[in-house]
Amino acid sequence: MDNVLKILNSVYEGWTVEHRFDSINRFRFDFAHIRLKIAVEMEGGIYTGSGHAKTGTYLKDMRKYNLAQLKGWILLRYAYGQEDKIPDDIKKAVEMRKKEGKRFQNV
């Protein structure tokens, strides 16, 4: 996960690890840029059928991701091995925020 944090900060500084965005359900993002409301989730267990690929965890993750979007977060999801996709997606997400108006104008 340190590698992902380095990638994120190389594109845009200010990322937080394990940010709790919902106190009721105690949901956390793997990585979050709080001011921009951009989150990154690294999906574990997809190649082995464990972790996030288990039915119960998968359903909980679906609830988490839907709630994040309803709260205004841009959520980007990756499997390990897709780290090369992160920089371009983060740049696009930051540009989206810039276009949204005053709240994100100084990005």
Side-chain angles (χ1 to χ4, degrees), residues 45-56:
I46 65 166
Y47 301 113
T48 62
S50 62
H52 291 268
K54 289 183 178 178
T55 303

Side-chain angles (χ1 to χ4, degrees), residues 15-95:
W15 292 86
T16 302
V17 178
E18 293 291 323
H19 171 67
R20 182 181 290 171
F21 76 95
D22 181 74
S23 59
I24 295 170
N25 295 292
R26 302 183 67 166
F27 288 143
R28 298 173 187 251
F29 295 128
D30 293 335
F31 303 95
H33 198 290
I34 298 165
R35 188 169 66 83
L36 297 177
K37 288 187 88 170
I38 300 172
V40 172
E41 287 284 295
M42 298 303 296
E43 303 296 342
I46 65 166
Y47 301 113
T48 62
S50 62
H52 291 268
K54 289 183 178 178
T55 303
T57 306
Y58 186 80
L59 294 173
K60 184 178 177 185
D61 283 348
M62 288 173 59
R63 176 70 188 130
K64 173 182 172 178
Y65 301 151
N66 289 340
L67 185 59
Q69 290 184 10
L70 290 170
K71 289 183 173 228
W73 286 86
I74 294 174
L75 178 61
L76 303 171
R77 299 171 59 202
Y78 303 94
Y80 287 96
Q82 293 186 305
E83 292 88 349
D84 61 318
K85 308 290 184 217
I86 294 173
D88 286 340
D89 291 348
I90 294 300
K91 289 174 188 173
K92 289 174 187 172
V94 170
E95 285 303 311

Side-chain angles (χ1 to χ4, degrees), residues 92-103:
K92 289 174 187 172
V94 170
E95 285 303 311
M96 286 175 60
R97 288 299 193 212
K98 285 182 181 180
K99 291 177 183 176
E100 288 179 0
K102 287 183 180 179
R103 181 172 175 201

